[in-house]
Amino acid sequence: MTTRPLEAKTALVTGGSRGVGAGIVARLAADGARVAFTYANAKERAEGVADGVTAAGGTALAIHADSRCEQDVESAVARTVEQFGGLDILVNNAAVGSFGPITELAMADIDAMLTINVRSAVVAIRESLAHLGDGGRIVNIGSINADRTPFPGQSVYALTKGALASLTRGLARELAPRGITINNIQPGPSDTDANPADGPLAGHMLEVMASDRFGTTAEIGALVSYLAGPEAAFINGASLDIDGGFAA
Ligand SMILES: NC(=O)c1ccc[n+]([C@@H]2O[C@H](COP(=O)([O-])OP(=O)(O)OC[C@H]3O[C@@H](n4cnc5c(N)ncnc54)[C@H](OP(=O)(O)O)[C@@H]3O)[C@@H](O)[C@H]2O)c1
């Protein structure tokens, strides 16, 4: 086994400018992949992620593509293939969360969650399937909230992550004959802008976890890289928890 298991592979990660996505980009690149990633707003941070990869000897490309826009997602896949000559790994990471009682959530926020967290993943998968070949990998970033919602106010966010788990199972059946696997990673509380380890809700989350800390983006990046690599060929249709025992 090479020490760079993703050498000569090309990856596209949605939402790579910050947090979990940036951790995934860094790890895939460190493991040898050429990595394109999208962002919606944080241009400077996206360029910083790409520069960091380059400084570490890797290859990365930041692409502005709003996951709310079908054409942006399709263009991001096309641009990746154009730049790197193919596509082997798709990681659907971009997501938003709005929390509160369902009667108080704005429909615009509900629509944004459904569109960015679910619809854009479907679009990216459909588009990528024109390019993924034998050994191709799709990794969705779901959430442990698909299986456990200990606090009120998480219903629609949890719905979107449950949808990814179901999509993953269904597509495993369709894609296995092509030698492509699809899996779903379900993080628990992980230290990012969206869920800071020192945020006001952190104490409540730690109370329902077995571990006494939040996860790191590097830990999630490592699991994505494993699933994207050759040793994970027999893992298919799975939802894998990386949650510090949130669901234990
Ligand atoms: N952090 C946690 O505790 C946790 C737990 C379970 C699951 N997750 C999942 O992990 C993933 C990443 O979460 P995170 O905590 O890293 O979130 P984050 O810090 O808010 O980062 C979100 C990323 O998604 C991008 N994004 C958001 N809306 C987008 C859009 N319309 N088009 C394209 N990109 C968009 C952002 O780009 P910009 O920078 O340009 O806005 C950013 O790169 C999500 O799927 C989330 O549900 C996180």
Side-chain angles (χ1 to χ4, degrees):
M1 177 60 58
T2 165
T3 53
R4 282 161 59 90
L6 304 182
E7 196 79 58
K9 299 290 185 187
T10 291
L12 172 61
V13 179
T14 65
S17 51
R18 299 182 281 125
V20 169
I24 294 168
V25 169
R27 179 59 187 256
L28 295 182
D31 284 345
R34 293 161 294 181
V35 186
F37 66 91
T38 67
Y39 66 95
N41 303 300
K43 184 172 195 293
E44 284 185 13
R45 290 184 72 170
E47 286 168 356
V49 170
D51 289 346
V53 168
T54 305
T59 303
L61 172 70
I63 301 172
H64 177 264
D66 191 326
S67 291
R68 286 171 294 193
C69 171
E70 188 173 327
Q71 283 165 333
D72 275 18
V73 176
E74 291 170 353
S75 298
V77 173
R79 179 95 193 278
T80 305
V81 171
E82 187 185 294
Q83 180 82 14
F84 295 136
L87 182 65
D88 305 291
I89 301 159
L90 169 69
V91 183
N92 284 308
N93 166 79
V96 292
S98 296
F99 303 99
I102 193 149
T103 48
E104 291 175 23
L105 280 179
M107 273 316 295
D109 290 334
I110 290 172
D111 285 342
M113 284 190 276
L114 294 170
T115 303
I116 297 167
N117 302 9
V118 181
R119 190 175 192 278
S120 80
V122 173
V123 172
I125 289 168
R126 281 164 54 100
E127 203 62 19
S128 295
L129 283 173
H131 307 284
L132 294 175
D134 191 10
R137 297 281 190 265
I138 300 170
V139 180
N140 295 320
I141 304 299
S143 167
I144 197 60
N145 286 143
D147 292 340
R148 189 175 188 212
T149 50
F151 313 114
Q154 299 179 311
S155 60
V156 178
Y157 176 76
L159 173 167
T160 66
K161 296 305 188 173
L164 286 183
S166 301
L167 178 71
T168 299
R169 284 192 295 272
L171 283 178
R173 301 275 175 192
E174 283 184 36
L175 304 184
R178 291 177 54 177
I180 300 168
T181 69
I182 177 166
N183 290 291
N184 179 45
I185 290 178
Q186 300 195 147
S190 310
D191 187 20
T192 67
D193 290 354
N195 192 9
D198 59 359
L201 299 176
H204 297 298
M205 293 185 203
L206 289 169
E207 276 172 23
V208 298
M209 294 165 67
S211 301
D212 64 355
R213 65 169 177 84
F214 275 31
T216 68
T217 60
E219 287 170 323
I220 300 170
L223 182 53
V224 172
S225 184
Y226 176 71
L227 289 175
E231 290 183 300
F234 199 55
I235 304 176
N236 202 3
S239 285
L240 301 172
D241 301 347
I242 175 167
D243 70 342
F246 190 94

